[in-house]
Structure formats: structure tokens, C-alpha cells
Amino acid sequence: MADISDTKGSPPLAFLSDNPLSAALGDTFAAFSRRREALGLSNPGSVENIAREVQKDVLLSNYTFTGLRADLTKAFSVAPLFQLSHAFAMGSQALPPYTFAALYGTSNVLLQGNIDNDGQLSARANYRWSPSLVTKTNAQIAPGPGQAMIQIDNDYTGKDFTASMKALNPSILEGGLTGIFVGSYLQALTPSVAVGLEAVWQRAALSAGPDTALSYCAKYKGDDWVVSAQLQAQGAVNTSYWRRITEKVEAGVDLNLQFAGLSGARGRGGLLGMSKEGVTTVGAKYDFRASTFRAQLDSAGKLSCLLEKRIAPAVQLTFAGEMDHVKQSAKVGLAVSIEAAGDEFMEQQEKAAGSAAAPPPF
């Protein structure tokens, strides 16, 4: 009778876990997890930022600009983070004449919105579900047809891997699934080696068939240097090398080689109809006490430099210059950034520096 009462009191699906096969699988997974932790692996980053040290820290792609620019930012609080900014630009084809922006952030939420003088609105909303899972949403609305865009990212950061799923303009309004979907995974194999892949599925309309692409990547991290390589779809190859020369000096090399027109027909000169395009960029970054200087030179004959100088605790000047020796043209940019904050904000900032609160999910 005791056995019958125990059986009646057990959960209905207990047989799924209380069996020899489940126990063996659980023991195997536990042993694998212990060996995995014994390797001392750390998170390798993401596939999207596999060459971050070179492409986003050293090179000028995310910093250079032309014309005159002025940014005024007013910070009201730290916890929660809230600030407003006004940006003015003149003589630039990429920046609008005026942009107003607002930002609000807590340890789990980030809200940011920008609107320019042409009525183009862009918004960003990020939410941290857990210390490992973050959802990022970007939306853009502009005057004119076909100018709206929405992008949803889900990033999961594990102890030794990063998985990401991205959707660009997803829709089922036409009776089927359309849009661009990107999935990526980067896994650390050793404390120095990480490998990953990225898969893309896209369909512009139901009248057209879907397109797929698969890319592979690898990364090796030394004590003071990092090398990465990416083999993208249709034969594109990207490699980068970053090295910390001194405590305040970094250098990097980025190579982008693109093969186009692969027809599969062979001739005396190799593949017929194949064209090769490649650009190699060498850059360096110098950090001084109150300034940062970046410079780069590419194989197309373009020399660029950028100097960021903080002349006061709340004022920063930025100078950007670019000279194209092949086209015999030059571009110059000058910007001033002013950050205003009251005494209450400074007190909150000092208190926040000593706390262990998580920053907003940028």
C-alpha cells in the first residue's frame, strides 16, 4: 500500500526524469559541464564585434565626420539615467542640421529617441530580461514611402559563448514571412581560440524566393594582441590584427578582400568573369592625459586622422581630417561638445561610482 500511495503522490510526468536514460544523460551533461568549467573559458564576445578592437576602437569608421558640429548635452540624473541633447551640424551630407535626443536608462531598461529637423524619428528600446539575455529594438520613421524600419535583436551572453538572433523588418502581412533574419553563435574552445558562424535568411516579398547565406569566423587572443578572420558568403574575406604596443598606444591592420562575379567557368587566366577588390587599412590610436589621437592609412591612398581634446571637464573639441591622394580631395571636420550638469547630478554620480548597480543595457 505504501508503494501505491507514493506512486499516486508523484507528478504525472515524473517518469520522464525518473528513468535510467534520463539519469545517464544528466550525469553525462554534468560531467561535460565540469570539464568545461575546468578549462577556465571566458566569453569571447559576439560575431558582430569579432574585430571590435580594430574596427571600432582603433580605426576611424565610427568617429570621422565633415563640416562643423556642436553638441550640447544636459544630464539631469544618474539613477535613473536621464539626459537631453541638442546637436547642430553644418556642411555635412551625413548629419542633419538639427537633432534633438532624449535618453532614459535604468539597470534593466534603456529608452532613447532622436528627431531631426526633417521629421525623421529614430527610437531605441532595450530591455535586460536577465544578466545574460538582452532584447534590443530599433525603429526608424521618416517622411516618404519605404523609409520605415524596425530591427529586433536578442542577445544571450553565456560564460563561454554568445548567441544572437536578429530580425530586420519582419512581417507576415502579405500572407507569409518576409524580412531579413540573422542568427549567429560564437563559442570559446580554449582560453585563446574562439570559432563561430552566422546564418542569414532573407525574403523581400512573397513573389520572390528566399535567399540564404552562411559565414564563418575565428578569433585568437594573445596576451596583448588579437587576430580574427571572417569568411563571408560569396567569397568575401575579412581579417584583422590588433596589438597593444604600450599602455597608451594601440595599432591595428584590417584587410577586406571581395571576390565578385564567380561564374564557375575556367580559362587560362583562372575563373572567367571574376573581379577582385580589396582594401587594407593600417591604423593607430594614442591615448594622452586629456586627449586621444587616431590615424589611419588605407591602400586606396586615403589618409585620415582624428583628435579628441578635452579642454575642460565639460568641454571637448574634436578635429577630423581626411585626404584622398588618388582623387586629390580633402575633407575637414570640427566639433565642440558641451556637457552640462548640476550639483545634484555630480553628487549622484559620486554615489553611483561606489555602488555595484548594473549599467543600462546599451
Side-chain angles (χ1 to χ4, degrees):
M1 297 295 295
D3 295 337
I4 296 176
S5 62
D6 292 342
T7 304
K8 291 182 178 180
S10 61
L13 300 179
F15 69 95
L16 294 177
S17 57
D18 298 340
N19 60 79
L21 179 59
S22 299
L25 292 176
D27 294 341
T28 302
F29 181 78
F32 176 76
S33 300
R34 289 193 297 268
R35 293 182 180 180
R36 195 171 172 179
E37 294 179 357
L39 293 176
L41 303 179
S42 60
N43 184 271
S46 62
V47 173
E48 184 179 5
N49 296 323
I50 193 170
R52 177 186 57 84
E53 293 84 0
V54 176
Q55 297 178 356
K56 296 188 177 182
D57 292 346
V58 175
L59 300 185
L60 277 65
S61 303
N62 297 328
Y63 302 94
T64 187
F65 63 95
T66 59
L68 299 177
R69 196 183 74 192
D71 300 330
L72 176 60
T73 302
K74 172 67 174 180
F76 294 90
S77 63
V78 176
L81 178 63
F82 180 65
Q83 63 183 30
L84 301 176
S85 64
H86 305 268
F88 304 89
M90 183 174 62
S92 174
Q93 297 180 354
L95 300 176
Y98 172 74
T99 303
F100 172 77
L103 185 145
Y104 173 85
T106 65
S107 58
N108 294 326
V109 177
L110 175 68
L111 301 175
Q112 184 178 12
N114 304 329
I115 186 170
D116 60 22
N117 56 286
D118 294 329
Q120 178 172 325
L121 173 66
S122 60
R124 183 167 61 138
N126 300 349
Y127 186 79
R128 179 182 284 119
W129 302 94
S130 68
S132 301
L133 180 60
V134 176
T135 297
K136 302 177 181 179
T137 304
N138 293 275
Q140 179 177 316
I141 302 175
Q147 298 297 321
M149 184 274 293
I150 184 170
Q151 178 177 321
I152 303 174
D153 298 2
N154 291 281
D155 299 330
Y156 186 88
T157 305
K159 294 183 179 180
D160 56 3
F161 73 94
T162 299
S164 176
M165 180 63 69
K166 180 186 302 182
L168 180 63
N169 289 337
S171 176
I172 56 173
L173 299 180
E174 299 181 11
L177 185 62
T178 59
I180 302 175
F181 301 87
V182 182
S184 61
Y185 183 85
L186 187 63
Q187 173 69 57
L189 301 181
T190 69
S192 300
V193 179
V195 297
L197 56 84
E198 182 179 73
V200 180
W201 186 94
Q202 61 179 353
R203 190 174 190 177
L206 292 181
S207 58
D211 297 327
T212 59
L214 190 61
S215 304
Y216 306 91
C217 61
K219 181 178 181 180
Y220 187 91
K221 183 178 180 180
D223 295 335
D224 55 359
W225 59 276
V226 177
V227 61
S228 64
Q230 292 178 277
L231 177 59
Q232 301 175 356
Q234 300 177 353
V237 179
N238 181 268
T239 61
S240 64
Y241 175 77
W242 173 88
R243 185 177 184 88
R244 181 177 296 278
I245 300 176
T246 64
E247 183 180 356
K248 297 184 178 182
V249 180
E250 305 174 18
V253 181
D254 184 76
L255 170 64
N256 193 333
L257 186 59
Q258 179 74 43
F259 295 92
L262 293 176
S263 62
R266 292 185 179 273
R268 294 182 180 178
L271 292 175
L272 296 177
M274 184 182 69
S275 62
K276 294 180 292 184
E277 298 179 359
V279 177
T280 302
T281 307
V282 181
K285 174 186 174 183
Y286 299 84
D287 289 324
F288 300 99
R289 183 178 61 86
S291 61
T292 300
F293 177 75
R294 293 178 174 88
Q296 72 178 38
L297 175 65
D298 61 28
S299 57
K302 185 182 297 184
L303 175 65
S304 306
C305 65
L306 184 135
L307 175 64
E308 297 174 322
K309 173 69 175 180
R310 185 164 293 278
I311 59 177
V315 181
Q316 177 176 293
L317 291 179
T318 304
F319 172 80
E322 179 181 294
M323 182 179 296
D324 195 328
H325 292 83
V326 177
K327 298 181 180 179
Q328 296 183 355
S329 62
K331 299 178 182 179
V332 177
L334 180 63
V336 56
S337 301
I338 301 176
E339 301 173 359
D343 296 337
E344 296 181 358
F345 176 82
M346 301 302 295
E347 294 178 359
Q348 294 179 9
Q349 193 174 25
E350 292 178 357
K351 294 179 180 179
S355 64
F362 287 101

